[in-house]
Amino acid sequence: MSVELSSPDLKTDEMIINMGPQHPATHGVLRLILTLDGEICKHVEPVLGHLHRAQEWQGQNRTWFQYQALIDRVDYLSGMYTSWAMARAAEQIDGLVVPKRAEYLRVILSEMNRITSHLLWLGTYLIDLGAMFGFPFYPFREREKLFDLFEEVAGQRMMFNYIRIGGVLRNPPFGWFDKLKRFTDEFPDRIDEYEAIVTENPIFLKRTKGVGILKKETAMAYGVTGPCIRASGIPLDLRKTKPYSVYPELDFKVQTMDGDGDTWARYMCRIREMRESNEIIRQAIEKIPGGTTEELRKLLGTTGPEKDESKDLDPSFLLMAKKQNAGLRVKAGEGFAAVESPRGTIGCYVISNGSDKAYRFKWRNPSFCNLSVLPELLVGAPIADIMAIFGSIDVILPDVDR
Amino acid sequence: MTETPAPGNKPAEEPKELTAGPFGEFLREHGIASTRLPDSTGVETVLVEGKDLEAALKRLRNSQETELNYLVAVSGVEQADSFESVYHLWSYTNLKELVVKVRVAKSAVPEGKLPVVPSLANFWPAANWHERESYDLMGIRYSGHPYLRRILNPWDWEGHPLRRDYKQPVDSLNDKNPHSMR
Amino acid sequence: MTSSAVPYNLNEIGKFFLLSGVWLGIIFGAVWAACWAVGMLVPQLILNAYPNDPCALNVANAIRLLTPLVGVMVFIPINAMYMVLAERRGLALFTVRKGPNRVGPDGFLQTAADAVKLLFKENINPHGGDVLMFTLAPIIFFAPSVFGAIPLLAAVTSNHDLFKIVNLPTGIFYVLAMSSIPVVGIVMGGWASNNKYSLVGGLRSAAQAISYEIPLVLAIITTCFLVGSLDVVNIAQMQKGTDNLASFGFLNWNFFGAGAIPHYLDLLMQGKLEGAQVVTSAFWSLALAFCCILLCGIYLTGACAEINRIPFDLPEAESELVSGYNTEYSGIRFAIFFLAEFTNLFIVSTVAVVMWFGGGATPFPGFLDANTFASIATPFNQALAQAGLPPLMDGQTMSGAFWAIFKTYALVYFAILVRGTLPRFRIDQLLDFGWKKLIPLSLILLLAVTYIRELV
């Protein structure tokens, strides 16, 4: 006797669920219109824009100097990178050469920012998988330490406004490099701690292995970048593939994963990237021209870290190649510059007409492009996996909606 | 808020004597006409006709020589006398870069209609959301797009906010709330 | 950035234990005082006032019969208040936070404040929901778990005279039967909420409860089978060890093979085993102990799934279903759901304690046993006797209750630790695990125990 499962008498209805914009696992205000058959997802339509703040319009209607302070909000978890992308675009158009010390400071601070961003992702991803209370707070412990360091150097914990067109804002205070060095020494142990809890956890493996497989070809067709595409096996990392700043002088590897590119691979890729970033910071501290702020002060014989703009200074010790004031202007021209943010290629297409405002701004946000592959991944997944997959892409809604 | 003049439209900046770069040559070999524009900070920039766009990008994406298989961004730009759709092409495997532009003159756009540029979304999914965004904010209609719907603004929004002549409706942000502070 | 060689929340751990001690003292004291007043003081006062009056005797007896009910009524709210606080503070310990520590001294009154808040919140009926079913759901969820727990009272108080009445010859069956009703409440709540998330949560709960009830019941049945009794008092008493076996303490617990190991050791010491018997008997005793440990593991897993705790909290699934079946609940109805969840956790822990961890037996003979508590109680009892009042407590009951609560909370803390560590299963993996792993394993164990107990 056989049972007809698809008999015409057995009528099942599809159910439409609005997941979000208020939902604990959509990381803000994404709305997914899910068509479910039982618990299996049949169709997904992401609805964006609940956090649209017209960042591009603001860029066109504010002066460069004003807009610099706003762009950290584009991707609030990695503000250094958004600033850096815009600064690079403007510098390219203007033909500025950024002093070496400033470039090193950019690298150090942005790699710190990469670690904080990945740490937050790690905690929230475990929440998405249902470990609501235990693990998620451990990464925040290290993140707080880094935020304290950010606060000391930039005056802000998340919206730094530290990387400016032509350089960086200021030298770190005395003792800052020592603290950072201590952090880099202890951080690998902390990652070991996280891995001890998570990486070999059987439930975690069950939930992530073989879930949300992103094939190379799909990833390339959708323009996916960052850890997502590196987990699928393509070594796209702008720090190596289109080297910028002082990354060629630093020794690090692009972390790619073999195999399927499932959510576990994306998790593992980020964990390895954190270790790699830690190494980059460690190297950059040693190679920075002028050394730590104390050493620089001794070298210059001046009275404070801010007094380093005297005439006879080695140009690589400078911080700024351009005067920062309200009349900041950029030459006419157009340019596209991108940096490798924790989420992927964050790019900025700028058309300048030589005035104090940009003529056209266009952000190329990694979250926006990575999110566009989501409907492809979700079809056929049960509700629980929607969270596992969506979380593993690591989108930031302000970055999607800008 | 003062209107800033568009930069790309001074006659002096449209030199005719620019010779085709490597990608321009490549396109001509495959029978696609292109015009070289001033470089965008060192990156070759070509202008193609709208009808050639799909063929050109397919060539550039699939050919072994170029392998421009990474569509970084699609941007809509409003110049003084034209609308531009700008495609930034990179490669996942090598260091090549190219900027492709498609221009629709404002004079060619009928009153009350949107400028039309052919869509890439059907063979290159990366373009899908970028084109929707460009449609939403800049008002360029991508013909042949599978689902050309507003993406960042609400679905019933009127107008295209990044246009130079856009006037924001006073109450639209507040759902026509009579008590709006605006 | 200080060096973290010393655990920097040592201070917090101390505070946590202090808080727990005070709360447990309050629970213990309040319940005992209520039971004493209803079961002893009031009847005696009535009898003193109307001596030799048959009517007064009947009234006094009737009041005495109410004692278990009063005990439960007093116990459950206070206990849930403590458990919520313990869970929040305990999780905070695992996650390098501090937890609620502002209301009252060191967060002591946090949950009391929360309870008051919930009582005064608006009761919202979801639009288009079935109001009657929506209101009934929390009650159906809560009531069976409370009344199902009553037979356990007799077990944890060592069959005290006042609680004898609630003991049933088939007590454990009654508990199991009652514990399978709450799922109806969850499905009702999910359906009546007119919310798709709630509906999915309710249906998940039904699937989950059905699949995990089977291994859970099989584990308990196997143990009953091994012990030869369905009477919870009997099961608890047996684990104290009979006669000379009592000196083996915790080895008598069902967790270690229902007395097989002490039995073997006893025979060995008396020299009754010879030759190969020494090895074979040891092997079978250890095999039985192993089976029992597995049974206990199955029970705890199934119980975790029954009461929707992480890693089996799929009906709630906060990050997927926005807390599932209780998404739409607010105010007092939500409070009842909340209360019931923690009460359930306590009850399944108590069942585990009674079935496997020796009920009220002390783990080490002579350590905080009946005599110790009797010596504490004597001065109070003498003082009361001088005032013409009934004795406050007796050592036997005190010791039993103390150890039962102690062990139960040890299991509760274990559940909190699990909650602080593990992610959630997916529904298909959960059902796979239940049907393909746990049920076959529990059936095999049933057969194995049947066989082995003849050999021990």
Side-chain angles (χ1 to χ4, degrees), chain C residues 314-334:
Chain C
L314 290 125
E316 280 184 58
E318 193 159 341
S319 57
E320 299 154 23
L321 300 181
V322 210
S323 47
Y325 60 88
N326 58 24
T327 304
E328 298 286 347
Y329 279 92
S330 63
I332 181 80
R333 290 185 285 212
F334 174 73

Side-chain angles (χ1 to χ4, degrees), chain A residues 190-236:
Chain A
R190 297 292 180 232
I191 303 181
D192 291 342
E193 230 172 69
Y194 310 146
E195 286 210 78
I197 300 182
V198 183
T199 308
E200 296 299 327
N201 185 327
I203 301 180
F204 180 78
L205 290 181
K206 261 191 164 179
R207 287 295 305 276
T208 51
K209 281 256 182 188
V211 169
I213 291 173
L214 180 58
K215 293 232 158 46
K216 267 183 197 178
E217 296 74 32
T218 324
M220 283 164 77
Y222 275 90
V224 174
T225 48
C228 293
I229 201 161
R230 291 197 283 277
S232 297
I234 297 171
L236 176 85

Side-chain angles (χ1 to χ4, degrees), chain C residues 21-222:
Chain C
V22 174
W23 259 112
L24 287 178
I26 287 176
I27 295 170
F28 208 71
V31 174
W32 194 256
C35 292
W36 176 75
V38 176
M40 296 179 183
L41 182 63
V42 175
Q44 186 167 346
L45 290 179
I46 291 174
L47 290 180
N48 285 350
Y50 306 101
N52 304 323
D53 185 351
C55 183
L57 188 65
N58 286 340
V59 171
N61 278 340
I63 291 176
R64 195 176 279 149
L65 292 186
L66 286 175
T67 317
L69 205 61
V70 170
V72 166
M73 292 294 188
V74 174
F75 176 73
I76 281 176
I78 309 182
N79 181 49
M81 270 188 201
Y82 165 65
M83 280 175 77
V84 175
L85 189 65
E87 172 136 32
R88 292 174 67 183
R89 291 292 289 255
L91 283 172
L93 285 185
F94 300 140
T95 56
V96 288
R97 291 180 290 125
K98 288 206 185 328
N101 62 357
R102 278 287 176 272
V103 186
D106 200 26
F108 183 73
L109 295 174
Q110 177 67 46
T111 35
D114 288 348
V116 171
K117 179 202 75 175
L118 279 174
L119 289 181
F120 284 102
K121 267 178 108 170
E122 186 190 354
N123 262 324
I124 298 169
N125 290 320
H127 179 74
D130 186 332
V131 179
L132 180 68
M133 260 163 64
F134 190 72
T135 315
L136 272 177
I139 298 166
I140 290 181
F141 187 59
F142 184 46
S145 54
V146 174
F147 293 110
I150 284 183
L152 297 172
L153 261 181
V156 302
T157 51
S158 316
N159 214 13
H160 188 266
D161 278 343
L162 287 175
F163 302 103
K164 234 177 202 165
I165 184 164
V166 290
N167 187 26
L168 302 173
T170 55
I172 195 71
F173 253 42
Y174 173 74
V175 174
L176 288 176
M178 279 299 190
S179 74
S180 56
I181 297 177
V183 65
V184 178
I186 295 187
V187 177
M188 271 171 73
W191 172 256
S193 294
N194 191 26
N195 178 325
K196 288 165 183 169
Y197 289 122
S198 303
L199 182 59
V200 174
L203 293 180
R204 274 183 178 189
S205 168
Q208 182 176 322
I210 290 167
S211 5
Y212 278 80
E213 195 114 332
I214 302 170
L216 183 144
V217 173
L218 276 174
I220 286 186
I221 285 179
T222 313

